[in-house]
């Protein structure tokens, strides 16, 4: 008989062949970028092969090309992506292009008084809930509050008191596509102010545009540092040995990529006006600011700290909304 597409036996054979091929590479003592972890489970468990650095394999692919161009909205710091992409640091050319959107239509703030460090969270859940409520009440509209995790989200949500007339929605774990579409439709409909609690690196923080009034502000609650576990620590050790930047490569830069993506949801057209609030003092530290777009500040991130947060935000919303793409200096 003919073999049907997606035949179960053939699928298993192909998957097993690929797994064994990867396992053979991971077992090579000279390939430190691979490591294997076993995750026990009552029904059998999982063997996981992790590659934390594909630069050697990518480098081989480049030999077939005269030139390679890589571009993205989140490619900072350049050294990190150059190293892990297998490019030659001495030969690679880098360029950063400023946003075409007028800076006067965007208000960026850092609130360093709030800490999202694990040891400080219990004392800061209420502060975050209060700050979001106060700031969002200055200009009714649709806002996102992006958290490092669902657990963090739930704790703040339980304390949050929304401004009068504002609907509060939450992203759910494993949210069905129909519910995601319904939430996006609700934001686009403009039927009244909505505050959405969501997670960084999730469905609503990457790859979705919110033009115009569909979203006018985003609160980025802390850099979403990956959880401390065996796999992440193995990655940190490898990056430290290979690049002398273990913590930055394993924790800081992946977190900032998600934070920058979340912040970027607000300004999506030349006439959008939006507020971006970064909550955590770590956003002022050099390891974190190196991953920020260059047009977020002139000299250093301390420029984004306000001594009168509510007054500054109110003044921003009071200014006439003017500006078109290309007018930014």
């Amino acid at each position: 008989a003919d073999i049907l597409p997606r035949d179960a036996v053939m699928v298993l054979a192909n998957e097993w062949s690929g797994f064994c091929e990867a396992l053979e590479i991971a077992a090579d003592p000279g390939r430190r970028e691979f490591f294997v972890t076993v995750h026990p489970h009552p029904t059998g468990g999982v063997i996981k092969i992790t590659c934390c650095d594909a630069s050697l394999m990518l480098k081989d692919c480049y030999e077939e090309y005269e030139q390679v161009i890589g571009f993205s909205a989140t490619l900072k710091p350049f050294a990190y992506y150059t190293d892990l992409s297998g490019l030659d640091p001495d030969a690679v050319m880098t360029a950063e292009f400023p946003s075409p959107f007028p800076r006067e239509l965007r208000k960026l703030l850092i609130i360093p008084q709030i800490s999202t460090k694990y040891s400080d969270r219990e004392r800061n859940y209420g502060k975050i809930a209060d700050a979001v409520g106060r700031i969002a009440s200055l200009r009714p509209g649709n806002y996102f509050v992006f958290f490092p995790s669902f657990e963090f989200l739930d704790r703040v949500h339980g304390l949050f008191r929304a401004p009068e007339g504002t609907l509060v929605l939450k992203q759910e774990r494993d949210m069905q596509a129909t519910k995601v579409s319904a939430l996006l439709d609700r934001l686009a409909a403009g039927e009244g102010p909505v505050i959405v609690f969501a997670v960084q690196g999730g469905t609503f923080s990457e790859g979705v545009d919110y033009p115009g009034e569909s979203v006018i502000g985003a609160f980025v609650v802390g850099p979403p540092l990956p959880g401390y576990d065996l796999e992440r620590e193995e990655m940190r050790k490898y990056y430290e040995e290979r690049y002398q930047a273990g913590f930055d490569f394993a924790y800081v830069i992946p977190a900032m990529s998600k934070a920058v993506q979340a912040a970027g949801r607000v300004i999506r057209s030349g006439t959008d006006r939006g507020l971006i609030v970064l909550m955590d003092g770590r956003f002022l530290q050099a390891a974190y600011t190196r991953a920020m777009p260059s047009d977020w500040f002139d000299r250093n991130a301390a420029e984004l700290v306000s001594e009168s947060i509510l007054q500054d935000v109110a003044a921003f919303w009071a200014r006439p909304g003017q500006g078109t793409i290309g007018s930014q200096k």
Side-chain angles (χ1 to χ4, degrees), residues 9-303:
V9 175
M10 289 300 299
V11 169
L12 175 60
N14 290 332
E15 294 288 346
W16 182 252
S17 175
F19 177 80
C20 290
E21 183 178 348
L23 189 61
E24 184 177 359
I25 298 174
D28 183 346
R31 304 299 293 268
R32 298 291 302 280
E33 70 272 26
F34 285 88
F35 56 89
V36 181
T37 52
V38 179
H39 304 260
H41 190 275
T43 60
V46 174
I47 299 176
K48 184 176 181 180
I49 303 171
T50 300
C51 175
C52 58
D53 184 358
S55 59
L56 291 177
M57 290 178 284
L58 290 173
K59 186 179 296 186
D60 293 338
C61 299
Y62 300 148
E63 295 179 356
E64 300 181 15
Y65 301 92
E66 289 290 334
Q67 301 289 337
V68 175
I69 299 174
F71 60 92
S72 174
T74 49
L75 274 182
K76 291 185 69 179
F78 290 130
Y80 169 82
Y81 290 98
T82 297
D83 288 337
L84 295 189
S85 297
L87 299 171
D88 182 355
D90 296 326
V92 70
M93 298 176 61
T94 62
E96 182 174 1
F97 303 97
S99 169
F101 305 122
R103 289 179 69 172
E104 65 269 18
L105 299 186
R106 178 194 65 199
K107 181 65 175 177
L108 260 165
L109 286 174
I110 293 178
I111 303 181
Q113 298 90 336
I114 288 175
S115 173
T116 64
K117 293 180 180 178
Y118 190 81
S119 58
D120 297 335
R121 289 183 180 182
E122 196 69 39
R123 300 191 299 272
N124 282 268
Y125 291 136
K127 294 180 183 178
I128 296 167
D130 181 66
V132 171
R134 287 173 176 266
I135 295 172
S137 68
L138 297 174
R139 168 69 155 81
N142 298 338
Y143 294 84
F144 268 102
V145 189
F146 291 111
F147 293 89
S149 67
F150 281 103
E151 180 183 1
F152 202 140
L153 182 158
D154 290 336
R155 293 297 299 273
V156 176
H157 181 268
L159 300 172
F160 185 63
R161 299 294 175 265
E164 185 176 354
T166 300
L167 175 66
V168 179
L169 301 174
K170 284 200 313 178
Q171 179 181 354
E172 302 171 1
R173 292 178 175 85
D174 302 320
M175 198 168 184
Q176 296 179 352
T178 53
K179 291 186 176 181
V180 172
S181 297
L183 192 153
L184 296 177
D185 291 342
R186 179 67 176 79
L187 293 176
E191 297 174 352
V194 180
I195 295 179
V196 182
F197 281 44
V199 294
Q200 298 179 54
T203 302
F204 298 105
S205 68
E206 299 181 4
V208 182
D209 286 346
Y210 304 101
E213 296 286 309
S214 58
V215 171
I216 64 169
F219 298 86
V220 181
V221 184
L225 296 179
Y228 180 92
D229 57 24
L230 174 62
E231 291 177 47
R232 188 62 53 171
E233 275 302 287
E234 286 297 316
M235 295 171 68
R236 183 193 63 77
K237 292 177 184 177
Y238 169 83
Y239 293 140
E240 188 62 37
E241 293 175 4
R242 177 77 187 273
Y243 302 110
Q244 294 74 56
F247 188 77
D248 287 357
F249 275 32
Y251 291 92
V252 174
I253 298 172
M256 283 304 297
S257 177
K258 293 180 180 180
V260 171
Q261 286 276 8
R265 296 308 95 200
V266 177
I267 304 297
R268 310 305 297 178
S269 78
T271 57
D272 283 2
R273 299 183 71 207
L275 172 69
I276 300 169
V277 180
L278 309 177
M279 294 182 164
D280 197 294
R282 286 175 290 183
F283 285 121
L284 296 174
Q285 297 176 11
Y288 295 83
T289 61
R290 281 195 290 267
M292 293 179 179
S294 61
D295 68 333
W296 276 19
F297 48 82
D298 293 322
R299 292 174 300 279
N300 59 71
E303 300 164 15

